[in-house]
Amino acid sequence: MAAAKIKKGDQVIVLSGKDKGKTGEVVRAMPKDGKVVVSGVNIAVRHKKPTQVNPQGGLERSEAPLHISKVAHVVDGKPTRVRFEERDGKKVRVAVKTGDVING
């Protein structure tokens, strides 16, 4: 599999779906599944029955994984592609639009 262009801690923007246009930080990356979990995006709601641990029950909201193709790196509020370059003998991620090195 190719090197990961999106990693944990990256700022990304959602390109399609119900949360299109929202930005957030990657909380978890799952490269084998090709998915990422972004904070505040793709919120799934589960109805939980009351239990002894949680006698109130109610709705449980959590972030569900998104396919990696639905997100892109964000630079100055706009999406950009990522390329790999060798700088100072190191392989680094570079934003295509600006040419800036993406830290990580």
Side-chain angles (χ1 to χ4, degrees):
M1 191 158 180
K5 293 189 176 184
I6 296 178
K7 295 181 179 180
K8 182 179 175 180
D10 290 345
Q11 282 295 121
V12 294
I13 189 167
V14 180
L15 301 174
S16 65
K18 64 178 183 178
D19 292 318
K20 180 178 180 177
K22 287 187 181 177
T23 59
E25 186 178 321
V26 175
V27 179
R28 192 167 140 219
M30 297 175 267
K32 284 186 179 172
D33 301 331
K35 296 186 181 227
V36 291
V37 177
V38 183
S39 63
V41 174
N42 198 26
I43 302 295
V45 180
R46 298 275 180 265
H47 296 260
K48 291 288 185 179
K49 279 187 172 178
T51 60
Q52 285 189 333
V53 178
N54 181 14
Q56 184 68 35
L59 301 177
E60 183 183 278
R61 291 177 169 82
S62 61
E63 292 135 353
L66 276 168
H67 196 267
I68 208 158
S69 65
K70 288 190 169 199
V71 297
H73 271 278
V74 65
V75 176
D76 301 328
K78 293 184 180 176
T80 182
R81 297 190 314 276
V82 176
R83 77 163 57 106
F84 287 96
E85 289 180 5
E86 199 167 301
R87 295 194 180 172
D88 302 326
K90 281 190 171 183
K91 186 177 173 184
V92 293
R93 297 181 300 157
V94 177
V96 172
K97 278 191 178 175
T98 60
D100 296 337
V101 175
I102 298 166
N103 57 349

